[in-house]
Amino acid sequence: WLGCNPARRAALARAPDRHVARTSMPSLLLPDAQPVLTALAILALTATCRFGFAVVTRLLGTSKLLLWPAAGAMAALPFVLRDPLLAWWGGTYADAQLGSFLAATAFAWCFFRAIERSVGTTPVGAAASLAEWIFYMSADVDPRYRDGKPLRPPPGKLRSQLAKLCATYAATAAFVSAIEPFGFRPTAAVCEACGVSGPLAAALVRVGDNLSGTVLIYLFLSLLLTLGSILVLAQGHDPIDGFDNPVFKSCSPREFWGRRWNLQVNAMLKRSCYKPLAGAGLAAPLATLATFGASAGFHEYQFALSMPGYRVGTASVFFLGQGLLLVAQSLLEATPLRHLASRAPLPLGVAFNITALSLVPDYFICNWIDLPTPLFGAVARLVPRIMWAA
């Protein structure tokens, strides 16, 4: 019951020592500048590629025959450039991991926005001019449009986003300090240290460590999307929200994935996948499942570029499983059971949602923790944190 691979079991085997070590003297580890500098260099090259791709896709118009191959070529470019650039730069892959993750995300954004243009679901106004299209293709967070024109941000929004960035950074540092000593699996480490085992402990570990892993991913992605929002605001555009408190307000998988979690990815997948399929007459449950398939493809791409040792297919198992979970929820909502869910108090609904999400194999969390160069390690290097040494 301890885990999905030997690396995870080895990490848990060290948990008792780390648990005891928390009683000894702490030390403060400062953020590591090298991953940030490497990420900035990678992002500078990525920005050049995004600018060029925006110009090309603008010239190609809305032709599927031309845009789809161009989008595929753009998505393949990081696989071609990664190893030669890393060898030329002279750094380690661990130093380049953060930059690789951000670059993979940026290239995926360009891919999906090109697909949007080919199927006619680009926000009205985003392609009004070459300059606006370049801005839209280069934005890390979608700008808002109304009546074909970009919305201007309300007074004080930039200031509030800067405050949010500082608060999220502090929360990430505190949370990393709390769970890193346990190998980012605090529930499993505590159960192991206390000698607790059996089916009930296995269920507790599954739910507890999925929850802590989801919170850290939420904090990290919220940090990135808030920074992206600040860049959009600085250019006079009003960005969409990145998250809507998905962990502690969602009472069902559909609410979690459909209305609260990573609204940037949510919006792009709806425009590039769900809306075209539903508009073509595909039933809503099948369109939902296909959209989760597109999400699986996005994460396969992202993980293959930024997580050394990633096993292809594990992200797909997770996201397709989540898609099936939403289909099952749709079927249940057609029965009298839907009234029970609507009357449940918020804490009970949140607990139900976290438990339901944990029914799917936790390969997603495993990929952030158990690989030889875990991405949670790269997240930890970004923030000051307290480590407990024996």
Side-chain angles (χ1 to χ4, degrees):
W1 64 276
L2 288 178
C4 56
N5 61 36
R8 178 175 177 182
R9 290 192 290 270
L12 293 178
R14 296 191 296 271
D17 296 334
R18 287 195 300 270
H19 183 64
V20 173
R22 287 180 64 84
T23 61
S24 56
M25 292 299 295
S27 60
L28 177 65
L29 297 182
L30 297 177
D32 191 343
Q34 188 59 46
V36 177
L37 295 175
T38 305
L40 290 175
I42 292 173
L43 290 177
L45 179 60
T46 301
T48 304
C49 294
R50 294 172 84 177
F51 176 84
F53 189 59
V55 174
V56 169
T57 51
R58 173 71 178 180
L59 295 174
L60 293 178
T62 59
S63 169
K64 293 185 178 67
L65 185 63
L66 298 175
L67 276 177
W68 285 64
M74 179 70 176
L77 194 59
F79 289 100
V80 177
L81 296 177
R82 180 183 58 179
D83 291 338
L85 286 175
L86 187 59
W88 173 77
W89 181 260
T92 65
Y93 200 92
D95 290 338
Q97 188 173 26
L98 174 65
S100 298
F101 180 85
L102 298 177
T105 305
F107 277 90
W109 269 209
C110 288
F111 175 84
F112 283 116
R113 284 166 175 163
I115 300 303
E116 290 173 18
R117 184 155 169 76
S118 72
V119 297
T121 55
T122 299
V124 178
S129 66
L130 176 60
E132 191 62 36
W133 178 248
I134 291 173
F135 175 78
Y136 177 70
M137 287 289 284
S138 304
D140 295 309
V141 179
D142 282 350
R144 300 179 194 268
Y145 295 90
R146 181 182 295 165
D147 300 327
K149 297 180 180 179
L151 290 178
R152 300 305 172 193
K157 187 166 183 177
L158 178 59
R159 188 165 53 250
S160 69
Q161 288 295 304
L162 288 169
K164 180 181 177 182
L165 182 71
C166 295
T168 305
Y169 186 77
T172 305
F175 198 69
V176 167
S177 297
I179 70 172
E180 187 183 17
F182 302 108
F184 298 105
R185 294 189 181 276
T187 309
V190 170
C191 287
E192 181 77 3
C194 297
V196 179
S197 61
L200 184 59
L204 181 63
V205 167
R206 180 68 167 271
V207 175
D209 284 344
N210 275 356
L211 174 59
S212 60
T214 301
V215 169
L216 185 52
I217 294 171
Y218 164 50
L219 289 171
F220 172 57
L221 296 183
S222 183
L223 191 69
L224 297 180
L225 290 176
T226 303
L227 183 58
S229 296
I230 290 170
L231 295 177
V232 171
L233 286 165
Q235 298 175 77
H237 288 64
D238 187 25
I240 67 170
D241 296 326
F243 289 89
D244 185 13
N245 196 358
V247 180
F248 301 110
K249 276 194 174 181
S250 299
C251 295
S252 70
R254 172 177 288 178
E255 183 179 4
F256 180 87
W257 291 113
R259 296 196 294 273
R260 296 188 181 277
W261 179 265
N262 203 335
L263 301 178
Q264 172 60 41
V265 172
N266 187 312
M268 282 200 300
L269 290 175
K270 281 183 178 177
R271 291 194 301 265
S272 61
C273 187
Y274 184 86
K275 285 184 178 180
L277 292 175
L282 192 66
L286 294 179
T288 297
L289 197 56
T291 304
F292 271 90
S295 179
F298 160 61
H299 286 89
E300 291 283 351
Y301 176 81
Q302 193 180 46
F303 290 1
L305 280 170
S306 61
M307 297 183 180
Y310 169 69
R311 289 188 299 162
V312 175
T314 52
S316 295
V317 170
F318 174 81
F319 282 99
L320 290 174
Q322 294 294 332
L324 290 172
L325 200 61
L326 263 67
V327 171
Q329 180 180 340
S330 298
L331 296 175
L332 286 174
E333 287 177 348
T335 71
L337 291 175
R338 68 182 184 276
H339 299 298
L340 295 177
S342 62
R343 295 169 184 169
L346 179 63
L348 187 59
V350 170
F352 166 78
N353 178 60
I354 293 169
T355 304
L357 294 176
S358 300
L359 295 175
V360 177
D362 60 344
Y363 292 131
F364 187 69
I365 302 296
C366 288
N367 285 321
W368 287 73
I369 299 176
D370 296 328
L371 295 177
T373 308
L375 196 56
F376 274 175
V379 175
R381 295 175 70 184
L382 289 176
V383 297
R385 69 230 193 246
I386 297 172
M387 293 296 291
W388 299 82

